[in-house]
Amino acid sequence: MMNFPEELLYVKSHEWVQKQEDGTYLIGITDYAQDALGDLVFVNLPEEGDEVVKGETFADVESVKAVSDVFSPVSATIEAVNEELADDPALINSDPYGAWFIKVSNLTDHEDLLSAKEYEEYVQTLD
């Protein structure tokens, strides 16, 4: 059974966004995405200070199955990168909603993010 935390917002490319108390946002990939990818062995992360653009690749992950792009669900400025993922990409498999990729600020282009219910309904159409 897939997990879709209610406090997160989602996009159909299987990334999530979570607002933090300080006004920044964390971005990661969903449980559905990590399950489809399989065991992750490498993560290529962007740099702090970079700009991400909604719908464009900001990272890539390599699993035992394939290399996949990670797309930005919003446009924003990268404030921090989760360096733990570079050392241990399997964190994404064990905790996809705790293993964030980037922390961003100055968020724009976020009007079409999906609620947990909307994302779950979308994922059900994929099976």
Side-chain angles (χ1 to χ4, degrees), residues 60-72:
D60 54 77
V61 293
E62 183 177 337
S63 71
V64 294
K65 296 179 181 179
V67 175
S68 297
D69 291 331
V70 180
F71 299 96
S72 184

Side-chain angles (χ1 to χ4, degrees), residues 21-59:
E21 289 184 16
D22 65 0
T24 62
Y25 296 79
L26 299 180
I27 297 175
I29 63 172
T30 66
D31 192 17
Y32 180 88
Q34 73 76 27
D35 185 62
L37 290 166
D39 293 334
L40 295 174
V41 296
F42 178 77
V43 177
N44 183 25
L45 296 166
E47 299 289 326
E48 285 183 22
D50 285 354
E51 298 291 321
V52 292
V53 177
K54 180 181 177 176
E56 293 187 8
T57 302
F58 74 85

Side-chain angles (χ1 to χ4, degrees), residues 41-121:
V41 296
F42 178 77
V43 177
N44 183 25
L45 296 166
E47 299 289 326
E48 285 183 22
D50 285 354
E51 298 291 321
V52 292
V53 177
K54 180 181 177 176
E56 293 187 8
T57 302
F58 74 85
D60 54 77
V61 293
E62 183 177 337
S63 71
V64 294
K65 296 179 181 179
V67 175
S68 297
D69 291 331
V70 180
F71 299 96
S72 184
V74 296
S75 295
T77 304
I78 299 173
E79 297 294 326
V81 175
N82 188 352
E83 297 293 345
E84 289 181 3
L85 297 184
D87 296 332
D88 189 4
L91 291 171
I92 299 164
N93 295 114
S94 61
D95 185 11
Y97 299 114
W100 54 275
F101 281 63
I102 57 176
K103 180 187 284 190
V104 299
S105 63
N106 304 320
L107 193 79
T108 62
D109 297 331
H110 55 82
E111 298 78 20
D112 59 350
L113 296 173
L114 305 173
S115 69
K117 181 176 171 45
E118 291 168 325
Y119 179 69
E120 182 175 8
E121 289 170 356

